[in-house]
Amino acid sequence: MSASPTPVAAPLVSGTGFVLLAAVLWGTTGTAQAFAPAGFDSTTIGALRLAIGGTVLLGLALVRGQSGQFRGWPLWPTFCAALFTAAYQLCFFAAVAKTGVAVGTIVGIGSSPIAAGLLGFLFRGERPGRLWMVATLLAVVGCALLSLSGGPVAVDPLGIALAIGAGASYAAYTLVIKGLLDGRSPDAVIAVVFCLGALLLAPLLFGRELGWLAQPRGIAVILHLGLISAGLAYWLFARGLQLVPVSTAVTLSLAEPLTAGLLGVMVLGEILTLPAFGGIALIFAGLLLLTFGGRALPRRAAATPVS
């Protein structure tokens, strides 16, 4: 009688779990900025959080003996990933400034899963399926309800274009990162992309007021944004992206506004309207459907191993 095979332990956190954890950390960004001292600048924050997160992950990669991965690094895809990362920072914050938080968030976050689905299909042959479409529709409508409940809506054509640019940049970044992760560790990939993205944004720091960074609250905020909501969050996102399609990862990241809305109530004392609670319920339903629906993820011969 042949011995029964030894059961393989299931991973504690799946690919969808890593992406959801990343989105939760991204959702703390707005709350953290609320504690920043007066005079803080969103462009400065965008550049510094990439620099801090990239530097820490680069150090981690070197400590873990992954320096050999930097040999023969694909330069063009890496530059594109860094460019898309920098473009997202600029487009999103500029869109919010032009057209307000509500519309900027709706168009920026809502357009990214659609862009990711199209890019994943065109460049990787991914077919998300009906379950992804239903989950994405629920989450996008939920984002709309959650954002529109906060105040008056302002529509600015340039702001709309910038928000669409932000959504497309995030989707394109995810697509390129997916390719860079083949045979490479998330530490090395995110470190290189972040450091290069920070260099691209560095010229924008000239002439900016940086005095707020000398204050204890300013230091705490920028460390949280750089280490937690950038470095750790994107590292988790990259690990999850090794195991799930591009379209699924971007839709799961809609847990970000869900987290931001809940933190606004619990930490900042914000009051949500009935439509906002409906939006939270729809986002949560979409994420549950995509996480536990099973058929949302296409079957693969073998998942890319996580380094």
Side-chain angles (χ1 to χ4, degrees):
M1 180 182 296
S2 60
S4 58
T6 302
V8 179
L12 293 177
V13 183
S14 64
T16 56
F18 280 121
V19 176
L20 285 174
L21 285 173
V24 168
L25 295 181
W26 288 331
T28 66
T29 301
T31 302
Q33 289 188 48
F35 290 98
F40 81 96
D41 179 76
S42 59
T43 302
T44 302
I45 285 178
L48 291 180
R49 70 194 295 251
L50 290 183
I52 294 172
T55 301
V56 171
L57 289 176
L58 181 60
L60 178 62
L62 295 176
V63 168
R64 296 180 64 183
Q66 298 172 352
S67 57
Q69 296 192 22
F70 297 111
R71 289 193 294 268
W73 197 277
L75 299 180
W76 177 244
T78 304
F79 175 78
C80 288
L83 184 63
F84 292 138
T85 302
Y88 172 79
Q89 303 282 336
L90 296 178
C91 287
F92 183 75
F93 287 119
V96 169
K98 283 283 185 182
T99 196
V101 175
V103 175
T105 302
I106 293 169
V107 179
I109 294 179
S111 63
S112 59
I114 301 170
L118 291 174
L119 291 174
F121 173 75
L122 291 174
F123 292 97
R124 297 186 63 89
E126 297 176 356
R127 298 179 181 274
R130 293 181 180 178
L131 195 60
W132 171 83
M133 295 180 185
V134 174
T136 298
L137 179 61
L138 287 173
V140 169
V141 173
C143 286
L145 289 175
L146 183 59
S147 300
L148 286 173
S149 64
V153 177
V155 177
D156 180 274
L158 179 57
I160 295 295
L162 288 168
I164 294 175
S169 297
Y170 172 60
Y173 159 85
T174 304
L175 178 73
V176 178
I177 286 291
K178 179 77 169 176
L180 287 174
L181 286 168
D182 291 338
R184 300 179 184 87
S185 73
D187 310 354
V189 171
I190 302 301
V192 171
V193 171
F194 269 28
C195 289
L196 184 54
L199 287 176
L200 292 176
L201 291 177
L204 299 179
L205 296 179
F206 290 107
R208 300 280 178 176
E209 173 57 47
L210 302 178
W212 62 274
L213 283 171
Q215 302 180 39
R217 276 198 304 162
I219 295 173
V221 167
I222 199 63
L223 286 179
H224 172 83
L225 294 176
L227 298 176
I228 305 301
S229 72
L232 178 57
Y234 277 94
W235 179 80
L236 290 169
F237 182 73
R239 289 180 68 90
L241 190 57
Q242 290 180 307
L243 302 171
V244 300
V246 171
S247 56
T248 299
V250 175
T251 297
L252 287 171
S253 66
L254 293 180
E256 176 185 355
L258 171 64
T259 303
L262 293 176
L263 285 177
V265 174
M266 295 185 292
V267 178
L268 302 179
E270 296 178 351
I271 300 176
L272 294 182
T273 62
L274 186 59
F277 281 109
I280 289 175
L282 286 177
I283 297 173
F284 192 64
L287 296 177
L288 285 178
L289 183 64
L290 194 56
T291 303
F292 300 107
R295 291 175 297 170
L297 304 181
R299 295 187 179 275
R300 304 170 63 181
T304 306
V306 178
S307 302

